[in-house]
Amino acid sequence: MSISTPPPLAIIEEGIPQESARRRNRTTKIRGYRPGFWVYAGLGIVLLSAVFPYYWSFLIGSGDSSTINDPNMSWIPGGNFIDNALAVVNNPAVNFWPALWNSIYSSTLIAAAVVITSTLAGWAFAKLRFPGSKALLVFVVATMAVPMQLGVVPLYILFADLGWTGQIGAIIIPALTSAFGVFWMTQYLQQSVPDELIEAARVDGASMIRTFWVIGVTAARPAAAMLFLFTFVGAWNNFFWPFIVLDRQNPTLPVALSLLQSNYFVDYSIVLAGVLLATIPLLILFAFAGKQLVSGIMAGAVKG
């Protein structure tokens, strides 16, 4: 009967550098990889496709009423953009500044409320065990398949009975929660927070609320930042429900800009100048929060 002896130490030590060298070579290949011409060409086409609508809007918005119908239109912007923008801002029918404040106020409040409620619900679905949790999550996700248009009539009747038509609260209250937000935060918290970490916190005497605040909120920041940005943009661009429930004296910015097209003759240079004015706050938001957006997308795309 032969007893197997462990390999000599020299052989083990000899194998370790070889394995380390192979790992370094793989890492070097990954880090040293540079995309080719077609990758940059594809990215350039995507970039141009994204930027062209803004340039087209600025091109028309810097001209006059005949620019859009001119067959010999120059691709160099004109010098009327400031005048057209002032025409939008000073138009008494538009109520630009109150509409801008209503959009900022309602979009910020809706986005913050969606992040809070979605994070709480996502933590409950992801890390708490209670009867019917899976069925309830399926029901929440299934509500995403119901079009908003189906609930417009009863929702309008409800707010009319409450006397809230024409008030900004009528567009805030129905949007305080989001089925997509609950699903997104549930999926993210399931992947980013291990159950062992929660058990360790409970062993140390932390309550569930403290565990959520210390562990859950900290882990959910990248996903919550991305959810805030997308919800803010969605609330900012929302036109259908605010157009129905608000009036001309208290509109949001998309509803106010729609009044520029209420005449028999539509001056598209002024309309597109107003569209660009409404886009500037979103560009500023993405400029300051772009890093959080990228980190949130990468955190949701990479598991572990």
Side-chain angles (χ1 to χ4, degrees):
M1 180 178 181
S2 62
I3 300 175
S4 60
T5 59
L9 183 61
I11 298 177
I12 297 177
E13 292 177 350
E14 183 181 356
I16 291 177
Q18 295 178 358
E19 181 64 25
S20 300
R22 285 194 294 268
R23 292 180 179 177
R24 284 197 299 268
N25 291 335
R26 287 197 298 265
T27 305
T28 303
K29 290 180 180 180
I30 294 174
R31 292 179 179 176
Y33 173 76
R34 293 184 178 180
F37 169 78
W38 293 109
V39 175
Y40 286 109
L43 292 176
I45 293 174
V46 172
L47 179 62
L48 291 176
S49 300
V51 173
F52 180 75
Y54 296 100
Y55 180 76
W56 175 261
S57 299
F58 182 73
L59 184 66
I60 303 301
S62 61
D64 51 27
S65 59
S66 61
T67 301
I68 195 172
N69 296 319
D70 187 3
N72 299 319
M73 180 184 64
S74 174
W75 287 91
I76 299 176
N80 297 329
F81 180 78
I82 295 179
D83 294 336
N84 293 333
L86 291 176
V88 175
V89 173
N90 298 326
N91 192 332
V94 174
N95 292 325
F96 181 83
W97 296 114
L100 178 63
W101 166 248
N102 286 338
S103 292
I104 295 175
Y105 172 73
S106 61
S107 300
T108 304
L109 192 59
I110 290 172
V114 166
V115 168
I116 294 173
T117 56
S118 298
T119 305
L120 287 169
W123 178 264
F125 284 124
K127 297 302 174 182
L128 301 184
R129 302 293 180 264
F130 56 92
S133 60
K134 293 183 179 180
L136 185 59
L137 179 61
V138 171
F139 174 77
V140 171
V141 175
T143 59
M144 297 171 58
V146 180
M148 178 185 175
Q149 289 80 357
L150 294 180
V152 165
V153 174
L155 197 61
Y156 183 85
I157 294 175
L158 174 63
F159 284 111
D161 293 339
L162 294 175
W164 285 12
T165 54
Q167 300 184 15
I168 199 67
I171 66 173
I172 296 177
I173 298 300
L176 293 180
T177 59
S178 170
F180 170 77
V182 173
F183 175 73
W184 165 252
M185 296 306 297
T186 301
Q187 295 298 110
Y188 181 83
L189 290 172
Q190 281 180 347
Q191 298 178 3
S192 61
V193 180
D195 295 335
E196 293 78 9
L197 188 60
I198 299 176
E199 293 174 359
R202 299 304 299 272
V203 170
D204 290 339
S207 63
M208 182 53 65
I209 296 178
R210 181 174 177 79
T211 303
F212 166 74
W213 181 255
V214 175
I215 298 176
V217 173
T218 303
R221 284 178 182 175
M226 193 189 75
L227 180 62
F228 181 91
L229 288 173
F230 282 138
T231 305
F232 185 92
V233 173
W236 182 276
N237 294 327
N238 189 16
F239 174 79
F240 181 71
W241 174 242
F243 180 77
I244 294 175
V245 76
L246 298 180
D247 51 32
R248 295 189 176 185
Q249 286 70 35
N250 194 31
T252 57
L253 199 54
V255 176
L257 294 178
S258 68
L259 300 177
L260 295 172
Q261 306 182 58
S262 60
N263 300 324
Y264 292 103
F265 173 74
V266 179
D267 190 346
Y268 284 100
S269 61
I270 295 179
V271 171
L272 291 179
V275 170
L276 284 178
L277 290 178
T279 309
I280 290 175
L282 296 181
L283 297 178
I284 295 175
L285 177 64
F286 275 91
F288 282 99
K291 184 177 180 180
Q292 290 292 332
L293 175 63
V294 173
S295 62
I297 294 176
M298 295 302 297
V302 179
K303 181 178 180 181

